[in-house]
Amino acid sequence: MSGWRGVSLWMDQLGEPLQPRAPLTEDIQADVAIIGAGFTGLWTAYYLKRQAPSLNIVMLEAQIAGFGASGRNGGWLMGNLLGEDRLLSGLTPAARAESFQLLHGIPDEVARVCTDEGIDCDLRKGGVLYAAARYPEQERRLREMLDDYRKQGLGEADYTWLSPQALREQLNVANAYGGLYSPHCATIQPAKLVRGLARVVESLGVRIFEQSPVLRWQAGEATTANARVKADWVVPAVEGYSSDLPPLNNHLVAAQSLIVATEPLPADVWAQIGLSHGQAFSENSRQVTYGQRTHDNRLVFGARGGYRFGGRLRQDFNLTASERALRQQLFGDLFPMLRNVRLTHAWGGNLGVARRFQPHMLADCRQRVALAGGYGGEGVGASNLGGRTLADLILGRDTLLTRQPWAFPDRTIASLPRWEPEPLRWLGYNAIIRSFVLEDRVLANPDTPPWRRHLAERLAGAMEGLMHTKEPFA
């Protein structure tokens, strides 16, 4: 892989020439200036244009559309939002049910737009499988998760318990203890979606300037090396790249996710593995794993990201031999028949993490700045929700979208929770990850004595709780 195609398997698969659009070379005026031509920016532009076609919208992209997380992710289109249980806990049962319906409808809304606009992104709504696949404590935690869902009013149609045999009928992982299935997820080829959206918004009159990194921005304008855009509204839609764009770096920091893809696998191998309907899957450990079967029959598998001191962006995503080997070992433990399979692609990306792991969609009506982010690695679906919400907030509409607990019709960026200064973030991240690694190692060994299993799990659970420590959101 080389050039723009080297970004990911997804970009490498594109049948189109990856020629950047022209950069911004002169000062211009716009109604809305969007920084970043990824999913959040493109969805915002799309819904604004569909509701207010006369708006003059300009997008500034540092590289090309799809270069960032939108072209690098694992291809899960989830009908969920990070931390939704905490965010919805204070609502009445009726309001909570309405919010869940909104979230669960995300994959169908994306599918509708793709149908209406002629975007083929290999979308398959096969649901998602969360497997208890490596030690019995995973089964207990999944059952506890299911109990929590039931208390929130979600029934069998939303989350179904699968026995080991029922799980094997969809996903044959080694030594499974059972799992959860939810229909509220689709898998996609994300580069096809982001590139398709860029073409659609251009056809609606949006101007996209590529290779035009924004050096600084403020209310009313965004400045590149060669020119600036004066705008009534500014939308910094940069997610993980907030780390390089003050003052967003106080509230969103970059973490990294790393992914590998196998060569296309033959039908007899897939007959052993399953995933015949486009399901996404995850092995239910605290260290995130995720995978899917691509349209051309590869296994795409991501696991265990990273954090760099100061929230710095990672620029080089040529994975090292050890980074590739760890992910191959992890999916080989789940699928022993793949232990020696050839990897054809390995890549990664920067994602945005908000303090308290709380996504947010806000509009500062005085400064006329709108922002959505903090998706925490679940942004393929959440960005569609974010784009719809920002469009309504910018247009001043009171809708179901703008009344959600993650939407703030008149809040400043400064009101978002701030991350602690370094070295506290780096020390905290490493302490948490080490507790997760210890838990996995201890619990995956069937000979570990019960007292040690209990201690490792309690420690990891306590450290996980620290990630969601509450602080005022004022």
Side-chain angles (χ1 to χ4, degrees):
M1 294 192 297
S2 62
W4 305 117
R5 298 195 183 278
V7 164
S8 64
L9 163 72
W10 313 121
M11 295 289 275
D12 192 35
Q13 288 180 331
L14 293 174
E16 64 185 86
L18 294 181
Q19 295 297 323
R21 296 169 173 87
L24 181 70
T25 57
E26 59 183 11
D27 293 354
I28 58 173
Q29 189 83 29
D31 296 319
V32 181
I34 298 174
I35 305 170
F39 282 140
T40 297
L42 290 166
W43 282 123
T44 302
Y46 177 78
Y47 288 106
L48 280 172
K49 271 295 193 180
R50 281 300 180 204
Q51 295 180 80
S54 64
L55 281 177
N56 177 8
I57 300 175
V58 166
M59 305 189 74
L60 301 172
E61 166 57 42
Q63 302 287 339
I64 65 170
F67 177 84
S70 299
R72 299 172 183 261
N73 57 78
W76 283 36
L77 175 59
M78 300 174 66
N80 299 93
L81 192 67
L82 181 69
E84 64 187 38
D85 53 341
R86 292 176 289 122
L87 292 166
L88 300 179
S89 62
L91 301 185
T92 66
R96 189 162 56 242
E98 194 173 46
S99 296
F100 276 126
Q101 186 175 19
L102 178 66
L103 292 175
H104 294 163
I106 291 171
D108 291 336
E109 169 62 11
V110 173
R112 180 195 68 78
V113 173
C114 288
T115 298
D116 290 351
E117 306 294 353
I119 300 173
D120 179 6
C121 61
D122 301 338
L123 192 154
R124 295 168 295 170
K125 193 182 177 189
V128 57
L129 298 156
Y130 299 99
R134 294 177 54 238
Y135 40 84
E137 286 84 357
Q138 290 181 323
E139 178 188 359
R140 192 197 71 241
R141 290 208 297 260
L142 270 178
R143 289 187 180 276
E144 290 171 353
M145 187 187 305
L146 181 60
D147 288 342
D148 287 341
Y149 287 139
R150 294 290 183 259
K151 291 173 185 175
Q152 294 170 43
L154 299 173
E156 280 287 318
D158 300 301
Y159 290 93
T160 303
W161 180 258
L162 300 177
S163 67
Q165 177 57 39
L167 177 63
R168 277 193 294 272
E169 291 173 2
Q170 296 195 61
L171 176 67
N172 186 21
V173 290
N175 305 315
Y177 296 88
L180 270 184
Y181 171 76
S182 173
H184 306 306
C185 185
T187 54
I188 63 168
Q189 209 284 22
K192 289 183 178 180
L193 177 57
V194 69
R195 301 289 296 177
L197 277 175
R199 289 191 293 272
V200 168
V201 300
E202 272 192 313
S203 74
L204 297 175
V206 174
R207 288 178 288 171
I208 302 175
F209 296 95
E210 296 185 327
Q211 294 190 299
S212 301
V214 171
L215 304 180
R216 59 189 177 276
W217 69 278
Q218 61 187 26
E221 68 177 44
T223 303
T224 72
N226 299 316
R228 64 180 175 175
V229 179
K230 290 277 193 178
D232 190 27
W233 279 91
V234 176
V235 182
V238 291
E239 189 58 347
Y241 292 85
S242 297
S243 286
D244 276 358
L245 208 60
L248 302 177
N249 59 318
N250 295 318
H251 312 284
L252 279 166
V253 297
Q256 289 76 45
S257 186
L258 305 180
I259 308 176
V260 296
T262 71
E263 61 188 337
L265 304 175
D268 62 320
V269 173
W270 280 114
Q272 298 175 62
I273 296 172
L275 300 177
S276 58
H277 304 295
Q279 303 98 317
F281 74 91
S282 176
E283 176 266 320
N284 192 52
S285 68
R286 292 187 214 271
Q287 298 194 86
V288 177
T289 62
Y290 50 94
Q292 66 147 302
R293 175 181 179 175
T294 67
H295 199 261
D296 65 342
N297 290 316
R298 302 170 188 267
L299 178 73
V300 166
F301 184 83
R304 304 190 184 185
Y307 172 79
R308 310 186 82 194
F309 190 89
R312 295 195 312 272
L313 296 169
R314 178 169 170 172
Q315 305 293 347
D316 180 6
F317 280 102
N318 290 311
L319 269 60
T320 65
S322 62
E323 287 174 329
R324 295 167 65 109
L326 173 60
R327 282 143 194 91
Q328 185 152 20
Q329 178 228 311
L330 289 170
F331 75 67
D333 289 345
L334 299 175
F335 310 109
M337 73 287 288
L338 300 183
R339 283 198 172 122
N340 297 314
V341 73
R342 184 171 69 95
L343 300 181
T344 60
H345 297 74
W347 72 96
N350 296 292
L351 58 98
V353 182
R355 184 66 177 93
R356 289 173 52 194
F357 289 72
Q358 180 170 313
H360 45 264
M361 302 159 195
L362 63 83
D364 180 341
C365 295
R366 185 175 67 85
Q367 297 288 323
R368 299 180 83 76
V369 172
L371 171 72
Y375 307 135
E378 299 182 2
V380 178
S383 59
N384 172 267
L385 184 72
R388 281 186 278 160
T389 304
L390 290 190
D392 282 356
L393 289 171
I394 289 169
L395 295 172
R397 298 187 171 180
D398 178 15
T399 65
L400 176 63
L401 289 160
T402 65
R403 293 192 295 270
Q404 296 306 307
W406 47 80
F408 302 95
D410 195 8
R411 300 292 284 272
T412 64
I413 290 175
S415 72
L416 293 170
R418 294 171 65 96
W419 277 101
E420 292 80 0
E422 294 291 18
L424 296 178
R425 292 200 308 254
W426 187 85
L427 291 170
Y429 171 85
N430 281 283
I432 290 167
I433 291 302
R434 288 187 182 191
S435 76
F436 292 176
V437 171
L438 173 67
E439 180 191 44
D440 267 359
R441 186 168 65 245
V442 168
L443 298 185
N445 182 356
D447 297 325
T448 302
W451 69 266
R452 195 172 177 212
R453 301 179 77 88
H454 178 71
L455 182 62
E457 190 176 20
R458 287 290 298 274
L459 174 63
M463 297 302 287
E464 184 176 42
L466 289 177
M467 296 194 301
H468 306 290
T469 300
K470 290 189 176 182
E471 59 184 51
F473 190 2

